[in-house]
Amino acid sequence: MADASPSFDPYADKLPTIWQRYPQLAWALAIFGLSALLTYVAFPPVNTGDAAYALAVPVLLWAYRRPPFRLFAGAVLGAQVLAWTLLFGWLHNVSWAGLFLLGPFIGLLVGSWYLAVWWTIPRLAGHQAMVRILVLLGLAALWVMLEWLRSVLFGGFPWLPLAASQWQRPLILQSASVAGAWAVSFVLIFFNLGTAAYAHRIFFEGATGLRKRSPEFMVALLLLMFSSFPFLGEIVNAERTKVARVALVQPYIPQDEKWDAAKAKDVLRILEQLTFAAKDRGAPDFILWPEAVTPWALYRDPNVQPWLESVAKRAGKPLLLGSVYTEGAGGPAELWYNGAFVVAPAKGLQSPGYAKRKLVPFGEYIPLRPVLGWLEKVVPIGGDFQRGTGAAPLMVPAGSRTVPVGVLICYEDIFPGLARENVQAGAEVLAVLTNNAWFGEGGAAYQHAAHSVLRAVENRRPVIRAGNGGWSGWIDEFGSIRATLTNDNDSVYFRGAQTVTVTRDLRWQGRLSYYTQHGDWFLIVCALLSVGAYYVALTLRPPRPSPDGETVF
């Protein structure tokens, strides 16, 4: 019996293309590329902050098309893993293993938000505008909750929240003084959600006339305007007054020399040269050195304190510096700290200093020491460092007045709560003493500096920064970058010093921002919005179409 099924003739019939066999593959590849690209360029060092207003739009539009979950998840999670691994690329200077653990982990965590989008967006079809807007607000709130989760999970590493993409655009950041940087991330991601809803209505829903209007996009525009423009008058009408002239010293000591005993005298010589040159050129009120700048531990080595006091006396200016120090030096109970101190020309080393409150896992201590005791710290000195507990400012003499300076060491400025504690304790200026020389000359210093901008706006306090290698300068209380130390090639990676005049708005002297007073209240709002939106999306059903086949939107 003959086979009635048609036979395939390889000479007469063309093989189906891969796009014909897998029609969704083109979407997946396009979304993968666009999502990874927009996420990467939105942040430093590329600094295309405008991309933050659209980085989620391609994925959101695809979610409206109800793609298969496995294809969607593979493309979106892969894009985020790639983007965040590239953003953390500077970490390879310390640890390739750390890079390929941290980058994918953050990428998967951010990507989980897009999986929630895949589940949620198709359920909005047919619902009235108020329901759709509520659910989208819940999705924006979920984004914020995931950013918060990064700040507490495994000790916390809230590096590069979406708000940090706007570090060079201060107007959009002003709502942070009321609700923290969380509010800026919320507005940005909701703008993505509103833009995608509008684009889908125009290009895929076939809406015509007035029905092209998108309530979601209108709400997104209103949120964007009301989070920015009401603060414009405050920025423009600032009454600025001098706080102090500060000499920022950036010694740029290579990491392989910083703790080398054979290079210690060279380190001291470099610090002296830069300090005295800055004093002679700029007439500063005080001099700021970066994190852990002395090549030996204070108190443990008897030569460190006399040398510091000698430099301050010869310069005739107070020093505010970072230094590793010990308690109980040489004894069985010796304790190591990463701290900061003031050294006055006449009175010498002031005590107490400041002890770092947020330590770097595997850099300054080994987590779960009984289990992971075989690992070594990245910092090649001392044992596990101890955590400080006090946020009291250091009182720095500055001409005829004394400035209460809240100190943040290393990456402490990426944690909003630490800066807030400093200001609540009386700090009128925040100082970030750091050492980004660990991470080469990539994007780390710029990404790190972006967080200082957020802390300045949240607390309405100027922030001054001194880095051993990369991004020293100062930022005013509205997030405007007033000075950045660069060399003749416009690079922040160099050895040098510069004196800057730090000013502040008189209206904020002795006054706390709403965020400083009330903290992370916006996170509670986001938690409630997330839960409420999930309930609505899960339980409500869209209304039945009217007899003419249309649904009221």
Side-chain angles (χ1 to χ4, degrees), residues 475-542:
I475 304 144
D476 73 17
E477 59 270 69
F478 299 109
S480 295
I481 298 169
R482 295 285 182 155
T484 306
L485 270 63
T486 58
N487 62 10
D488 294 339
N489 297 321
D490 202 33
S491 173
V492 299
Y493 298 105
F494 73 105
R495 177 176 295 164
Q498 181 179 324
T499 298
V500 299
T501 300
V502 179
T503 64
R504 68 171 309 177
D505 186 352
L506 274 174
R507 296 170 299 174
W508 283 101
Q509 187 168 337
R511 177 182 162 203
L512 302 181
S513 71
Y514 190 87
Y515 175 74
T516 303
Q517 295 178 67
H518 301 284
D520 294 323
W521 62 270
F522 188 66
L523 289 177
I524 300 174
V525 174
C526 286
L528 294 174
L529 275 174
S530 299
V531 173
Y534 171 74
Y535 177 80
V536 167
L538 185 65
T539 59
L540 290 187
R541 294 292 179 267

Side-chain angles (χ1 to χ4, degrees), residues 137-148:
L137 288 171
L139 281 174
L142 179 62
W143 178 283
V144 173
M145 296 308 298
L146 289 172
E147 288 192 342
W148 167 80

Side-chain angles (χ1 to χ4, degrees), residues 132-464:
R132 301 197 308 270
I133 291 168
L134 173 62
V135 173
L136 294 187
L137 288 171
L139 281 174
L142 179 62
W143 178 283
V144 173
M145 296 308 298
L146 289 172
E147 288 192 342
W148 167 80
L149 184 62
R150 286 163 50 191
S151 71
V152 297
L153 204 60
F154 304 124
F157 190 65
W159 194 268
L160 292 185
L162 189 56
S165 66
Q166 306 302 298
W167 73 299
Q168 296 177 329
R169 296 163 173 77
L171 184 58
I172 185 62
L173 299 176
Q174 299 311 305
S175 60
S177 66
V178 177
W182 317 113
V184 181
S185 294
F186 180 91
V187 170
L188 289 170
I189 200 63
F190 190 83
F191 190 83
N192 279 261
L193 289 159
T195 300
Y198 192 19
H200 189 263
R201 171 158 294 199
I202 292 174
F203 296 114
F204 296 104
E205 295 180 14
T208 58
L210 293 178
R211 289 178 59 80
K212 286 185 178 180
R213 293 178 300 175
S214 169
E216 298 93 328
F217 185 65
M218 293 178 187
V219 173
L221 283 176
L222 287 173
L223 277 176
L224 188 63
M225 289 188 294
F226 281 108
S227 67
S228 305
F229 289 103
F231 300 93
L232 185 58
E234 185 177 7
I235 299 174
V236 171
N237 297 318
E239 303 173 26
R240 307 211 68 80
T241 185
K242 174 186 169 184
V243 175
R245 282 183 59 76
V246 184
L248 306 176
V249 174
Q250 184 171 287
Y252 206 14
I253 306 297
Q255 288 309 121
D256 59 354
E257 299 179 9
K258 191 172 179 64
W259 304 111
D260 186 346
K263 302 285 187 180
K265 290 184 178 180
D266 291 335
V267 172
L268 299 184
R269 177 180 52 79
I270 290 168
L271 287 169
E272 289 184 355
Q273 289 177 347
L274 292 174
T275 298
F276 297 145
K279 185 267 297 186
D280 293 339
R281 290 197 305 267
D285 294 313
F286 68 90
I287 299 165
L288 188 66
W289 287 356
E291 173 192 9
V293 71
T294 57
W296 301 293
L298 180 63
Y299 301 136
R300 192 173 199 267
D301 189 300
N303 297 312
V304 176
Q305 181 173 342
W307 177 77
L308 289 172
E309 293 175 340
S310 169
V311 172
K313 188 173 183 179
R314 283 181 286 156
K317 303 293 180 182
L319 302 176
L320 172 55
L321 69 135
S323 178
V324 171
Y325 72 97
T326 63
E327 290 182 357
E334 184 180 53
L335 301 177
W336 288 75
Y337 294 87
N338 192 354
F341 295 88
V342 174
V343 185
K347 297 182 178 180
L349 182 68
Q350 306 296 294
S351 183
Y354 168 78
K356 188 181 178 187
R357 290 165 284 166
K358 193 73 174 180
L359 302 178
V360 179
F362 304 103
E364 294 169 318
Y365 76 102
I366 300 298
L368 303 173
R369 171 62 78 175
V371 178
L372 302 176
W374 51 276
L375 291 173
E376 294 293 335
K377 298 190 296 91
V378 173
V379 177
I381 57 168
D384 282 356
F385 282 38
Q386 305 301 306
R387 185 175 68 88
T389 56
L394 299 183
M395 308 306 292
V396 183
S400 60
R401 62 189 298 259
T402 299
V403 181
V405 178
V407 176
L408 298 165
I409 294 178
C410 186
Y411 78 150
E412 286 189 312
D413 60 328
I414 75 173
F415 296 92
L418 298 181
R420 180 171 164 259
E421 289 173 3
N422 285 0
V423 177
Q424 286 179 323
E428 291 296 326
V429 176
L430 296 172
V432 178
L433 315 182
T434 189
N435 177 20
N436 291 133
W438 287 102
F439 309 115
E441 298 186 356
Y446 296 99
Q447 292 175 7
H448 191 183
H451 298 81
S452 288
V453 173
L454 301 180
R455 304 295 85 83
V457 179
E458 286 173 340
N459 298 285
R460 291 301 193 216
R461 293 294 186 269
V463 175
I464 51 179

Side-chain angles (χ1 to χ4, degrees), residues 69-83:
F69 176 77
R70 291 178 62 182
L71 188 65
F72 181 90
V76 171
L77 294 179
Q80 294 304 306
V81 165
L82 174 62

